[in-house]
Amino acid sequence: MNPVEKVMTPDPVTVSVDTHATKVRSIFREEGFRTILVVSENRLQGAVTRGDMMNISSTKSNIAARGIMEKPRVIATPDMDLIHLAQEIMKAGTVYAPVVESPDNMHLVGIVTVADILRKFLYNGLQPDHETLEGIVTSNVVTCNYNDLISHVWNRMDESGYSGLPVMKDNKIIGIITRMDIIRSRHVRMGFESDSEMQGSIKVEKVMKTPPVVVTPQTPTSEAGEIILEYDIGRIPVVENPVYVKREPRRAKEADLVGIVSREDILWSYIR
């Protein structure tokens, strides 16, 4: 058995229930976290995600973390089996689990993410169900165009539930844009920022990452997992006919998009 305590990040960054939302926003922008845990006297109270911050009404400028936090869908303990936790996280449709000393006292001792679990499985000799990405790729991909407005792309992310979208030009993938890219660009109002701070007329090409890191349907599942961990990305486009960048052979100037694979897709392949 692999206990959670062997993989968790101890003493994670937290905010108190009374921390002002401006401070929480600042931590997201500066540190790049996907989730920040909320505590009271080091007892877990909830969590704030990037999406939670983006959805705050501009009329609630004085809101504190207690007013925007959500209840974690999964909570772990240090002695929980890692494979069991991975299954619970996947079933709950989340990407993290706070780790508490016990459900009785809710004393926070750490956090485990999908990336933490995937890293453990990749480098611990486990074999995925599917040798290559052909068996796990999602072919119906939500995309955006290079000349779409950032504000429209954020809405598309919110509606689809995807935090990153491939960027297309002339039916070829040329980049990728994520929620974090948008948050850091300051081109879409984050929560309670005023309309004067919002520049939603900015186009995707000004914010996207290009050229994108890509894989092909024949890429081994384990290799795709390693790439996702190396670049700290949540998903990776699956392509055909890529025109690779000579100095960065994992990046393509353009390619035919045939699908996408997420960290969660790869993790499922290890725990089914």
Side-chain angles (χ1 to χ4, degrees), residues 73-75 80-94 96-97 268 271:
R73 299 176 190 174
V74 179
I75 298 176
M80 184 180 289
D81 178 65
L82 194 60
I83 291 180
H84 176 67
L85 176 60
Q87 293 169 337
E88 292 300 305
I89 287 176
M90 292 293 93
K91 290 175 184 176
T94 187
Y96 74 97
W268 264 126
I271 63 177

Side-chain angles (χ1 to χ4, degrees), residues 172-214:
K172 301 281 187 179
I173 179 173
I174 61 166
I176 194 161
I177 186 167
T178 68
R179 277 184 173 174
M180 197 66 236
D181 296 330
I182 297 174
I183 289 172
R184 284 181 167 162
S185 76
R186 299 176 183 267
H187 290 316
V188 166
R189 182 176 64 227
M190 187 171 183
F192 46 79
E193 293 173 338
S194 66
D195 288 337
S196 64
E197 294 177 277
M198 185 173 105
Q199 303 173 41
S201 60
I202 297 296
K203 293 184 177 180
V204 167
E205 62 183 336
K206 298 293 185 181
V207 179
M208 70 182 186
K209 285 188 173 70
T210 186
V213 177
V214 300

Side-chain angles (χ1 to χ4, degrees), residues 4 8-14 37 42 44 75-76 78 96-101 107-113 116:
V4 166
M8 73 180 191
T9 298
D11 303 318
V13 172
T14 62
L37 301 179
N42 209 37
L44 179 67
I75 298 176
Y96 74 97
V99 184
V100 298
E101 198 173 80
H107 179 82
L108 183 68
V109 295
I111 188 171
V112 174
T113 68
D116 296 329

Side-chain angles (χ1 to χ4, degrees), residues 6 36 48 72 93 174:
K6 297 293 186 181
I36 299 174
V48 179
I174 61 166

Side-chain angles (χ1 to χ4, degrees), residues 140-145 148 153 156 162 164-168 173 257:
N140 186 18
V141 187
V142 178
T143 65
C144 64
N145 290 316
D148 284 344
V153 171
R156 193 171 304 163
Y162 297 120
L165 304 181
V167 181
M168 309 296 291
I173 179 173
L257 182 67

Side-chain angles (χ1 to χ4, degrees), residues 133 176 213-215 224 227-228 233-238 259-262:
L133 298 181
I176 194 161
V213 177
V214 300
V215 290
I227 293 171
I228 280 177
I233 52 180
R235 64 214 48 79
I236 190 166
V238 182
I260 199 161
V261 168
S262 69

